[in-house]
């Protein structure tokens, strides 16, 4: 079975994903790593200013939800405790070392650092525990990949504190000068563990393949630790640590809440049998003991890192790339969704006649084409003869796959221009079923490559009158940005609201050109028709 694994391009993410990929290959599967670039990967802004690790998690999850990938690998500690709609935690592989590690100049241990030494970390939990042990230290907030953080110890810092797991996975464990005992210097819940996610509706063969990677002791420990966070309702900036040991006698969990300045510390622990239900119950019990001991008064448990789009209001079409609304919300935005267009299915007589002829390729340029044909009772499966099939992008490819169509070419990144660029040269014949009013691409590019192209309309896009409250908010200047997913969306917005509106973030050059032609102000253009690119473009436009 061929599997596509979504991952960020950082060295650590690539290594972690490669470990999972190798395990799947050992089981006989073919695995392709799909690199996902996020705003957090290309921005030098502090991680806290971008909303924390969720900047990365949301982008990779969106790739799975959109059908661009079959699975994703995350550092388990970075995932929100709430379940993600549409996704399944398919496996938790064996855990790497859960401890934090000190990497210091001259091989020094924590107790040996000079008085007033500057120590770097991006974690409030690590900072609080450092100050609990050494209140004289100057803790410096840092970010960057592992190599960048380590480099600071040769520049302006005496030491940095990093996860031992990341250092070991990268082969940099020789830089560790002290492994901090996880029973005393408590790690982040699930630190060192990986989480493998797939779509909840993934084929059984995908779920079964991933289930073979699951390591029950690691899963139980991670579940118990994360249950502490969930019961405390702790935000990503709350200094909370937890560590669970799985042994012959069952589960033993220890958790702590530490004041930000390290001057006070609450620690509770408990034991339970090794089952999923007991792991959750154990974490909940230990958290309740912390609350009874005064944890909520010791720190702001709900503390979260600043989010870049906090206070921003964004108008988003209901038909947007999967995961876009969730990712914008995670970045702090208030998202208002509205329907800008509806679709009318057209008679399929013309397509039936066309398919009676011989074609070299059938090119599908939207998921709506597939939906309209299915709604009209016209299934493409079994009707294409010897023609090869090309998809304009991953979302359309997912729609085609759901109705049993196997593709020979998928443009990535998606879009008409991208498809024309990767399409082979003619001569030959191409059938292009789609909208009644079509974009110039990919038709123009295909003709330029020597193909004869016939367009057959199968649906019509109809503007929708926007709700009165959306029109009022637009005219009052209440929206900071408006996401334009297609030219028809831009034209519909202008018909209802006029041209004096918010900044426009468009998907691709054609949508941007249509928005400008309609009189809207285009501030940023997403390079790919997916949630990560839209979020990155929105951040660029507004921050």
């Amino acid at each position: 079975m061929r599997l596509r694994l979504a991952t960020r391009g950082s060295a650590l993410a690539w290594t972690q994903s490669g470990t999972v990929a190798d395990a799947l290959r050992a089981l006989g599967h073919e695995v392709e790593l799909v690199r996902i670039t996020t705003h957090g990967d290309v921005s030098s802004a502090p991680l806290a200013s971008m909303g924390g690790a969720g900047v990365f998690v949301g982008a990779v999850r969106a790739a799975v939800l959109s059908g661009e990938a079959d699975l994703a690998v995350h550092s388990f500690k970075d995932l929100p405790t709430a379940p993600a709609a549409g996704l399944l935690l398919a496996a938790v592989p064996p855990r790497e070392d859960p401890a934090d590690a000190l990497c210091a100049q001259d091989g020094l241990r924590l107790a040996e650092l000079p008085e007033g030494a500057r120590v770097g970390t991006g974690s409030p939990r690590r900072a609080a525990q450092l100050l609990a042990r050494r209140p004289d230290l100057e803790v410096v907030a840092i970010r960057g990949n592992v190599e960048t953080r380590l480099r600071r110890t040769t520049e302006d810092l005496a030491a940095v504190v990093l996860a031992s797991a990341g250092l070991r996975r990268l082969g940099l464990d020789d830089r560790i000068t002290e492994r901090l005992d996880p029973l005393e210097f408590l790690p982040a819940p699930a630190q060192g563990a990986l989480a493998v996610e797939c779509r909840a509706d993934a084929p059984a063969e995908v779920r079964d393949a991933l289930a073979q990677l699951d390591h029950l002791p690691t899963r139980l420990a991670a579940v118990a630790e994360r249950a502490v966070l969930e019961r405390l309702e702790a935000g990503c900036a709350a200094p909370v640590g937890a560590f669970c040991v799985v042994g012959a006698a069952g589960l033993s969990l220890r958790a702590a809440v530490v004041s930000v300045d390290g001057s006070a510390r609450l620690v509770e622990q408990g034991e339970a049998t090794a089952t999923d239900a007991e792991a959750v119950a154990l974490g909940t019990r230990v958290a309740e003991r912390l609350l009874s001991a005064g944890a909520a008064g010791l720190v702001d448990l709900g503390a979260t890192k600043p989010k870049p789009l906090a206070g921003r209001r964004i108008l988003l079409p209901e038909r947007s790339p999967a995961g876009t609304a969730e990712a914008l919300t995670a970045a702090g935005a208030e998202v208002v969704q509205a329907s800008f267009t509806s679709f009318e299915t057209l008679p399929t007589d013309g397509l039936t006649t066309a398919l009676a002829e011989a074609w070299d390729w059938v090119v599908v340029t939207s998921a709506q084409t597939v939906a309209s044909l299915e709604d009209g009772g016209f299934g493409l499966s079994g009707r294409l003869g010897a023609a090869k099939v090309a998809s304009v992008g991953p979302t359309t490819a997912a729609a085609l796959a759901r109705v049993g169509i196997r593709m020979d070419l998928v443009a990535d990144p998606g879009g008409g221009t991208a498809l024309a660029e990767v399409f082979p040269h003619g001569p030959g014949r191409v059938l292009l079923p789609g909208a009644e009013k079509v974009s110039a691409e990919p038709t123009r590019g295909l003709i330029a490559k020597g193909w004869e192209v016939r367009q057959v309309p199968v649906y019509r896009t109809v503007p929708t009158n926007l709700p009165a409250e959306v029109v009022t908010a637009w005219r009052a200047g209440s929206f900071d940005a408006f996401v334009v997913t297609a030219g028809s969306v831009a034209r519909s917005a202008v018909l209802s609201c006029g041209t004096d509106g918010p900044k426009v973030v468009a998907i691709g050059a054609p949508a941007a050109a249509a928005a400008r032609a309609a009189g809207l102000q285009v501030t940023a253009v997403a390079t790919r028709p997916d949630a990560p690119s839209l979020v990155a473009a929105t951040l660029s436009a507004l921050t």
Side-chain angles (χ1 to χ4, degrees):
M1 179 170 51
R2 181 176 178 272
L3 296 168
R4 297 161 300 159
L5 192 162
T7 178
R8 289 171 53 209
S10 72
L12 180 55
W14 199 260
T15 299
Q16 291 178 166
S17 297
T19 300
V20 172
D22 287 343
L24 288 168
R25 290 174 185 133
L27 294 172
H29 305 293
E30 179 184 348
V31 184
E32 173 194 358
L33 295 185
V34 179
R35 186 187 300 267
I36 305 297
T37 301
T38 76
H39 183 69
D41 290 311
V42 300
S43 172
S44 60
L47 182 60
S49 73
M50 295 188 293
V55 172
F56 306 120
V57 170
V60 177
R61 278 179 158 174
V64 176
L65 287 168
S66 70
E68 184 179 352
D70 301 298
L71 68 145
V73 176
H74 310 279
S75 291
F76 205 167
K77 68 181 180 65
D78 290 342
L79 292 183
T81 55
L87 291 174
L88 170 72
L89 177 62
V92 183
R95 192 176 200 172
E96 189 36 284
D97 184 3
D100 284 312
L102 183 78
C103 303
Q105 295 178 10
D106 304 321
L108 297 179
R109 297 170 64 84
L110 182 58
E112 299 167 342
L113 293 175
E115 184 174 353
R118 304 178 77 237
V119 180
T121 176
S123 161
R125 173 190 56 81
R126 290 175 182 151
Q129 293 188 99
L130 283 170
L131 292 172
R133 289 194 177 192
R134 290 285 307 270
D136 62 292
L137 296 177
E138 179 186 350
V139 179
V140 180
I142 61 172
R143 72 154 298 200
N145 60 33
V146 172
E147 294 86 348
T148 299
R149 297 186 188 209
L150 285 172
R151 193 178 307 122
R152 296 287 295 272
T153 63
T154 64
E155 298 171 351
D156 61 329
L157 299 177
V160 295
V161 180
L162 301 169
S164 176
L167 292 163
R168 293 184 184 281
R169 286 179 176 129
L170 290 171
L172 296 171
D173 43 316
D174 61 329
R175 299 293 300 273
I176 298 174
T177 59
E178 182 180 2
R179 179 182 182 271
L180 302 172
D181 184 351
L183 287 172
E184 294 301 324
F185 198 101
L186 287 162
Q191 183 164 298
L194 300 179
V196 181
E197 288 187 323
C198 67
R199 288 187 301 280
D201 63 353
E205 60 180 349
V206 173
R207 289 182 275 118
D208 292 343
L210 300 183
Q212 294 182 65
L213 306 182
D214 196 61
H215 184 245
L216 182 60
T218 297
R219 177 190 283 268
L220 293 176
V223 165
E225 292 165 16
R226 285 167 58 81
V228 174
L229 277 185
E230 186 168 14
R231 177 63 186 90
L232 292 177
E233 298 180 357
C236 56
V240 176
F243 180 53
C244 183
V245 176
V246 183
L251 309 177
S252 177
L253 174 66
R254 184 178 173 88
V257 175
V258 188
S259 64
V260 174
D261 62 2
S263 61
R265 182 172 183 251
L266 296 174
V267 181
E268 294 290 343
Q269 56 190 38
E271 290 76 35
T273 56
T275 66
D276 284 321
E278 282 299 308
V280 174
L282 174 60
T284 302
R285 285 198 305 273
V286 170
E288 287 174 345
R289 291 172 189 164
L290 287 168
L291 291 170
S292 297
L298 184 62
V299 297
D300 177 9
L301 289 173
T304 58
K305 296 174 181 177
K307 296 186 176 182
L309 296 177
R312 302 288 194 164
R313 201 170 187 217
I314 298 173
L315 180 59
L316 181 71
E318 288 180 350
R319 296 181 182 89
S320 294
T324 302
E326 293 80 0
L328 290 171
T329 300
E334 176 191 351
V335 177
V336 176
Q337 290 191 270
S339 176
F340 288 82
T341 55
S342 60
F343 302 100
E344 293 181 359
T345 298
L346 299 176
T348 56
D349 298 349
L351 183 58
T352 299
T353 301
L355 287 173
E357 302 176 25
W359 299 94
D360 296 287
W361 286 87
V362 174
V363 173
V364 183
T365 57
S366 71
Q368 184 57 46
T369 298
V370 182
S372 293
L373 290 175
E374 290 298 306
D375 290 345
F378 188 99
L380 283 174
S381 182
R383 294 176 179 260
L384 304 182
K388 294 181 179 179
V389 179
S391 167
V392 74
T395 301
T396 302
L400 285 165
R402 282 194 291 270
V403 298
I405 302 297
R406 183 177 181 85
M407 285 140 286
D408 300 277
L409 177 64
V410 178
D412 187 14
T417 301
L419 177 60
E421 288 176 352
V422 299
F423 208 81
H425 286 274
R429 305 183 74 214
V430 175
L431 180 65
L432 202 157
E436 185 177 54
K437 293 184 178 180
V438 297
S439 301
E441 295 295 354
T443 300
R444 181 168 53 193
L446 297 179
I447 292 173
K449 284 190 166 183
W451 295 96
E452 172 194 341
V453 179
R454 183 188 302 179
Q455 297 169 341
V456 179
V458 299
Y459 71 91
R460 175 183 298 129
T461 304
V462 181
T464 300
N465 291 325
L466 292 175
E469 59 269 23
V470 172
V471 175
T472 299
W474 175 294
R475 292 175 178 171
S478 296
F479 294 118
D480 296 285
F482 167 40
V483 175
V484 171
T485 55
S488 57
V489 169
R491 292 186 289 271
S492 177
V494 170
L495 281 173
S496 290
C497 306
T499 58
D500 188 11
K503 294 178 178 179
V504 168
V505 177
I507 294 184
R516 292 188 183 101
L520 297 174
Q521 172 195 357
V522 178
T523 305
V525 180
T527 56
R528 294 168 56 101
D530 57 25
S533 292
L534 269 177
V535 173
T538 305
L539 285 164
S540 174
L542 298 182
T543 65

